[in-house]
Amino acid sequence: MLTNSRAAYHDHNHQRCIDAALDRARDLCSQQGARLTPLREAVLHLIWTSHRPLGAYAIADLLPAATGRKALAPTVYRSIEFLLDQGLIHRVASLNAYIGCPFPGSRHSELIMICRACGTAAELSADSVDSALSDVTRRAGFFMETQNIELLGLCPGCRGEGGPS
Amino acid sequence: MLTNSRAAYHDHNHQRCIDAALDRARDLCSQQGARLTPLREAVLHLIWTSHRPLGAYAIADLLPAATGRKALAPTVYRSIEFLLDQGLIHRVASLNAYIGCPFPGSRHSELIMICRACGTAAELSADSVDSALSDVTRRAGFFMETQNIELLGLCPGCRGEGGPS
DNA sequence: GGCAAAAACAGTATAATGTAACAAAATGGG
DNA sequence: CCCATTTTGTTACATTATACTGTTTTTGCC
Ligand SMILES: [Zn+2]
Ligand SMILES: [Zn+2]
Ligand SMILES: [Zn+2]
Ligand SMILES: [Zn+2]
């Protein structure tokens, strides 16, 4: 089981998350011959500002303060497309928003747990889920290629405060 | 394992799918004291026209021919909201579209298999997936409430034609 | 360095999806 | 029938995303 839930859901030194993500991104891009330009890196940095998915127009609003240059929708979406292609971020379809991938480069299933109270999202990849999915879909005659799993619920912190026991 | 993949992915008498869905809808709504008005029933009927998810504006375009009255976005979205609340349809977030639920009324996980070639979507509910998900999310400290699983791949028909063996 | 090709970026306009707010009509119980 | 509630119609607008055109920047090559 591979997950960043520990960091996402508890107090932690988030600067280390950011630094690690940017380091991984630079490594991966140079390996792939992909160009992590200042703009793209700024967008990735913004997405990693927190563990909450960030929308494209929110990124556009935040970019000027981060880079000094203003950015309109197409510019932001081009960067997002690049980051998606490189596997550095994921799109959260149910929120129309984007979240940094904590383990890019490694093949992993895409399962996102979203807290409905605080909005924090953590990613999780587990063989047990993957094999259960492969198994039942194959029995249904379906050849699964990609998966998009978005779970809504309560994170450990928000569960304590007035949520279920 | 509960699924409508057999019907969705193979030749079948689709009129029976439609009739059965509308019958179930009428039953459930009368049980719940919910009002399945002509408009709402027409929207449900349109969504059941095929096993491909249908967008809200496509429904708006098709409604006049189906009912004689024109329908604008808010009207369509209100009917959609009603049908979602009653569990008669599901929203497919990755497509911004809506699909009829083949087993409304019964508690079931929401797992949709979408063929990227023909667009057909089938629903599947399996205990093995549910328990694997509950297990790994609980271990991650997450209290799962609702799930939205959208799988992309190839249906049996499209897999044969030039797809993988 | 100078130059051509490719890539990235900027900007305008517009498409597609979804919602807020209020008016009008239908429904159903006294 | 009369009133309260629900449903539907209508206008306006918000949000998310893309098509397209031209400009700038970068890159590889000489
Ligand atoms: Zn962090
Ligand atoms: Zn990931
Ligand atoms: Zn059918
Ligand atoms: Zn269903």
Side-chain angles (χ1 to χ4, degrees), chain A residues 89-152:
Chain A
I89 62 173
H90 297 297
R91 179 177 143 85
V92 185
S94 61
L95 301 176
N96 294 327
Y98 305 86
I99 184 95
C101 175
F103 16 88
S106 74
R107 261 177 91 81
H108 61 279
S109 55
E110 195 179 322
L111 190 164
I112 295 175
M113 300 174 288
I114 306 161
C115 177
R116 67 168 163 80
C118 68
T120 300
E123 191 168 338
L124 186 155
S125 182
D127 288 342
S128 59
V129 174
D130 292 353
S131 63
L133 280 176
S134 310
D135 183 46
V136 296
T137 55
R138 189 174 50 242
R139 274 196 277 161
F142 185 78
F143 177 74
M144 177 174 67
E145 291 177 339
T146 64
Q147 47 183 262
N148 185 270
I149 306 181
E150 297 174 17
L151 308 178
L152 208 65

Side-chain angles (χ1 to χ4, degrees), chain B residues 11 15 40-41 45 49 64 73 75 107 110 135 152 164:
Chain B
D11 282 342
Q15 188 60 46
R40 290 165 175 172
E41 187 170 325
H45 196 151
T49 299
T75 299
R107 261 176 93 80
E110 195 178 322
D135 184 46
L152 209 63

Side-chain angles (χ1 to χ4, degrees), chain A residues 36-56:
Chain A
L36 188 64
T37 64
L39 174 67
R40 290 165 174 172
E41 187 170 325
V43 170
L44 181 61
H45 195 152
L46 279 175
I47 290 176
W48 269 103
T49 301
S50 81
H51 290 278
R52 277 186 294 278
L54 195 59

Side-chain angles (χ1 to χ4, degrees), chain B residues 75-115:
Chain B
T75 299
V76 173
Y77 277 103
R78 272 191 301 254
S79 287
I80 287 174
E81 186 184 16
F82 171 85
L83 296 170
L84 286 172
D85 286 347
Q86 302 301 318
L88 295 168
I89 63 174
H90 297 297
R91 179 175 142 86
V92 185
S94 61
L95 301 176
N96 294 329
Y98 305 86
I99 185 95
C101 174
F103 15 87
S106 74
R107 261 176 93 80
H108 61 279
S109 54
E110 195 178 322
L111 189 164
I112 294 175
M113 301 174 286
I114 305 161
C115 177

Side-chain angles (χ1 to χ4, degrees), chain B residues 8-151:
Chain B
Y9 294 143
H10 300 85
D11 282 342
H12 68 292
N13 181 348
H14 184 55
Q15 188 60 46
R16 297 182 69 178
C17 293
I18 298 175
D19 294 341
L22 292 183
D23 281 348
R24 278 192 306 262
R26 282 185 279 260
D27 283 357
L28 278 172
C29 286
S30 74
Q31 277 175 37
Q32 304 289 320
R35 291 171 52 192
L36 188 62
T37 63
L39 174 67
R40 290 165 175 172
E41 187 170 325
V43 171
L44 182 59
H45 196 151
L46 279 175
I47 290 176
W48 269 103
T49 299
S50 81
H51 290 278
R52 277 186 294 280
L54 195 60
Y57 280 77
I59 294 171
D61 291 342
L62 293 168
L63 262 178
T67 64
R69 58 222 273 207
K70 78 169 174 176
L72 297 176
T75 299
V76 173
Y77 277 103
R78 272 191 301 254
S79 287
I80 287 174
E81 186 184 16
F82 171 85
L83 296 170
L84 286 172
D85 286 347
Q86 302 301 318
L88 295 168
I89 63 174
H90 297 297
R91 179 175 142 86
V92 185
S94 61
L95 301 176
N96 294 329
Y98 305 86
I99 185 95
C101 174
F103 15 87
S106 74
R107 261 176 93 80
H108 61 279
S109 54
E110 195 178 322
L111 189 164
I112 294 175
M113 301 174 286
I114 305 161
C115 177
R116 66 168 163 80
C118 68
T120 300
E123 191 166 339
L124 186 155
S125 182
D127 287 343
S128 60
V129 175
D130 292 351
S131 62
L133 279 176
S134 309
D135 184 46
V136 296
T137 55
R138 190 175 48 243
R139 272 196 279 162
F142 186 78
F143 177 75
M144 176 174 68
E145 291 177 338
T146 65
Q147 45 182 265
N148 185 270
I149 307 181
E150 298 173 18
L151 308 178

